[in-house]
Amino acid sequence: MTTVTSAVPGPAAEAYEKRPGRWIALAVLVLAVLLVAVDATVLALATPFISEDLAPSGTQLLWIGDVYSFVIAGLLVSMGSLGDRIGRKKLLLTGAVAFGLVSVLNAYASSPEMMIAARALLGVAGATLMPATLALIRNLFHDPRERSLAIGIWASSASAGAALGPVIGGFLLEHYWWGSVFLVNVPVMALLVIAGVRLLPESRDPAPGPWDVPSVAMSLVGMVSVVYAIKETAAHGPGAPAALAAVAGVAALTAFVRRQPRLAAPLLDVRLFRRREFSTAVAADLLAVLGLSGLLFFLSQFLQLVQGRSPLQAGVAELPAAVGAVAASLVAGAAARRFSVRIVVGGGLGIVGAALGGLTALAPGSGYLLVGGCLLLVGLGAGFAFAVTADVILSSVPKERAGAASAVSETAYELGAALGIAVLGSIVTGVYRRFPIPDGVPADAASSAHESLGAAARTAAGLPGQEAARMLTAAQDAFVDGLRIASAAGAAVLLTAAVLAWFLLKDHELGDDTAH
């Protein structure tokens, strides 16, 4: 290793140890992030094929789609803390082997029950990968400037993976059977393990203390219940199941928060949230992802069900979001040092808000310039905000506890993704379900059409030509109306958050490092 002097804000320059091979090691970590991000989005395209082959019930189909994100959200903090204790390299490589093996189980699932169990196990494996990758970056890159660039590359790979998921999935599904979207994980994970054994350094907390199992259970129950309540409300509206899940989740998380200060070695140091820059960064992280995920989810439906694109064409059409996110993530750290954290984070949130505001002009026949421009803008804004907030969160703790801090950033990402679909989705659904059914459409067909735009398209296929056209047009118009209103609401939230970030982050600069 070499020790060099790096200029950081402060009265004097400080010396930072620079590990040889750290950039090659980063490439290995990027592989893991890409794969988990791709896997989070690729299933949506495969769902119709899985439904046809395995014939799940409606409830089972929802669990197939959701259980992966439920388990990841519930275990991120626990797995991040476990990595601090047993070693992040060990956790990452163990998780990578498990991810590859369970991917095979997913590909060859022969029943809905087997598929749900396999997706849950894949979530367990995925929860080991993301916080371990970010925590290893914290320990590979001691120079804050280098670490900012490394986090930017990490964040850009997550954004690229999420956007490439529909493209890769569309290609595989057009040429192979649905199991191929899982089998593609195996060679990538094999490469990651082989390279990781040689290139990744081990790091852990030298005095970790015990892994508190009751805290793990509280975190799991709390996060799974909250995310379930959010998704249940988005899918079916407010109801008893969502309310009970929300109450159980809040109770479990409250117990978790109260327990941590009493432990000698807490799973998560909740006192971090008293630091204004830390809690603001977590909230900004969540809101940036909320805008990005909500926009991508509903524009995907717009591109396919309103404008008639194929899944692959829709995936390609959404690539400007990935281009913007990758570009912004790579320069976000340098921009935050050149200007300020609050300019980059507040500006990023403002750009996402502006992109959502632009979609208030959307119409069924809108050209691609409007859609592509808004996608590019939301990618740029989310990339700036996500990369810098991850850097702020990671720099707020000593490197020995980087796993738990990384998990907070990842949990904010997962909650933001769920809330983006739920909050914006409830608005879109509320407007959509009030669209008037044309005369002559049977009552059962009308009821089915009001469930979703996809259901309206399937229902229209069984109606006479003129009635089908009128009903489908009414449904598409209502969906676009809902999308415009949801975009306006999202823009208001993001622009307000941008103003708050501007004031709350006014004294924070990158380069302030807890380790020093």
Side-chain angles (χ1 to χ4, degrees):
M1 298 181 189
T2 59
T3 301
V4 301
T5 299
S6 176
V8 296
E14 295 188 53
Y16 293 97
E17 188 177 63
K18 293 197 173 183
R19 182 184 296 273
R22 60 195 178 280
W23 295 106
I24 300 174
L26 177 63
V28 176
L29 300 178
V30 164
L31 269 180
V33 175
L34 269 172
L35 201 58
V36 173
V38 166
D39 207 76
T41 56
V42 75
L43 183 70
L45 294 180
T47 297
F49 301 91
I50 294 172
S51 182
E52 182 179 351
D53 195 14
L54 301 183
S57 67
T59 301
Q60 287 174 327
L61 190 61
L62 287 174
W63 278 103
I64 288 171
D66 289 339
V67 70
Y68 176 79
S69 60
F70 287 172
V71 174
I72 282 187
L75 288 177
L76 278 170
V77 170
S78 300
M79 290 301 182
S81 180
L82 181 62
D84 289 342
R85 287 162 167 78
I86 69 171
R88 291 116 189 178
K89 175 181 177 179
K90 180 183 294 183
L91 183 68
L92 176 69
L93 297 183
T94 302
V97 171
F99 201 93
L101 293 174
V102 177
S103 293
V104 176
L105 186 63
N106 277 262
Y108 291 101
S110 57
S111 68
E113 294 80 7
M114 182 178 177
M115 189 70 189
I116 292 168
R119 289 289 291 168
L121 290 173
L122 201 65
V124 175
T128 68
L129 299 179
M130 294 299 281
T133 57
L134 195 52
L136 282 166
I137 287 174
R138 176 68 174 84
N139 285 269
L140 277 169
F141 296 91
H142 297 169
D143 183 339
R145 292 179 182 271
E146 282 196 348
R147 186 168 65 240
S148 292
L149 177 58
I151 290 173
I153 294 171
W154 174 88
S156 70
S157 64
S159 301
L164 287 173
V167 179
I168 294 171
F171 173 82
L172 291 172
L173 292 169
E174 285 188 8
H175 294 86
Y176 306 101
W177 108 108
W178 61 263
S180 62
V181 303
F182 298 108
L183 290 182
V184 72
N185 298 340
V186 177
V188 180
M189 281 301 174
L191 177 61
L192 188 157
V193 171
I194 293 169
V197 168
R198 295 179 57 86
L199 297 173
L200 293 176
E202 184 58 281
S203 66
R204 62 171 61 87
D205 187 342
W211 197 50
D212 187 56
V213 176
S215 294
V216 173
M218 293 173 190
S219 173
L220 178 62
V221 171
M223 289 304 304
V224 169
S225 298
V226 167
V227 174
Y228 172 80
I230 292 169
K231 292 198 171 190
E232 178 71 14
T233 302
H236 305 293
L244 289 173
V247 170
V250 171
L253 291 177
T254 301
F256 174 84
V257 169
R258 288 180 174 176
R259 182 177 176 82
Q260 299 315 295
R262 299 197 297 266
L263 297 175
L267 213 62
L268 174 66
D269 186 358
V270 295
R271 293 171 298 180
L272 285 170
F273 288 93
R274 296 176 184 171
R275 300 180 60 174
R276 186 179 64 192
E277 68 275 12
F278 184 88
S279 55
T280 302
V282 171
D285 188 352
L286 184 151
L287 288 171
V289 175
L290 182 152
L292 176 64
S293 65
L295 187 65
L296 289 175
F297 182 79
F298 291 107
L299 278 185
S300 178
Q301 294 183 59
F302 171 82
L303 291 167
Q304 293 179 69
L305 298 174
V306 177
Q307 296 201 328
R309 287 176 168 86
S310 70
L312 179 57
Q313 290 171 332
V316 172
E318 290 188 332
L319 282 179
V323 173
V326 169
S329 297
L330 293 176
V331 301
R337 285 186 167 81
R338 172 67 178 83
F339 302 104
S340 70
V341 168
R342 71 172 182 171
I343 286 177
V344 176
V345 174
L349 294 174
I351 292 171
V352 176
L356 289 168
L359 286 178
T360 58
L362 194 67
S366 292
Y368 183 68
L369 183 61
L370 173 63
V371 175
C374 289
L375 284 165
L376 179 63
L377 283 176
V378 80
L380 284 169
F384 278 125
F386 184 49
V388 175
T389 54
D391 201 341
V392 171
I393 292 168
L394 204 57
S395 301
S396 298
V397 299
K399 62 183 180 180
E400 291 80 13
R401 288 185 285 158
S406 303
V408 171
S409 177
E410 288 301 315
T411 302
Y413 186 101
E414 290 295 328
L415 277 177
L419 283 168
I421 296 171
V423 174
L424 300 183
S426 63
I427 298 173
V428 173
T429 302
V431 174
Y432 172 80
R433 286 179 174 169
R434 293 198 298 267
F435 82 86
I437 298 293
D439 294 336
V441 176
D444 57 342
S447 176
S448 177
H450 274 139
E451 287 299 314
S452 68
L453 184 56
R458 292 191 296 271
T459 301
L463 296 175
Q466 192 173 7
E467 292 175 1
R470 289 203 310 269
M471 189 186 75
L472 190 55
T473 298
Q476 290 171 339
D477 289 343
F479 180 84
V480 175
D481 287 343
L483 186 51
R484 285 197 295 262
I485 295 171
S487 297
V493 171
L494 268 295
L495 292 174
T496 302
V499 174
L500 292 175
W502 172 266
F503 288 105
L504 293 173
L505 293 172
K506 64 179 180 178
D507 298 324
H508 190 76
E509 299 294 335
L510 286 186
D512 301 335
D513 197 330
T514 300
H516 295 274

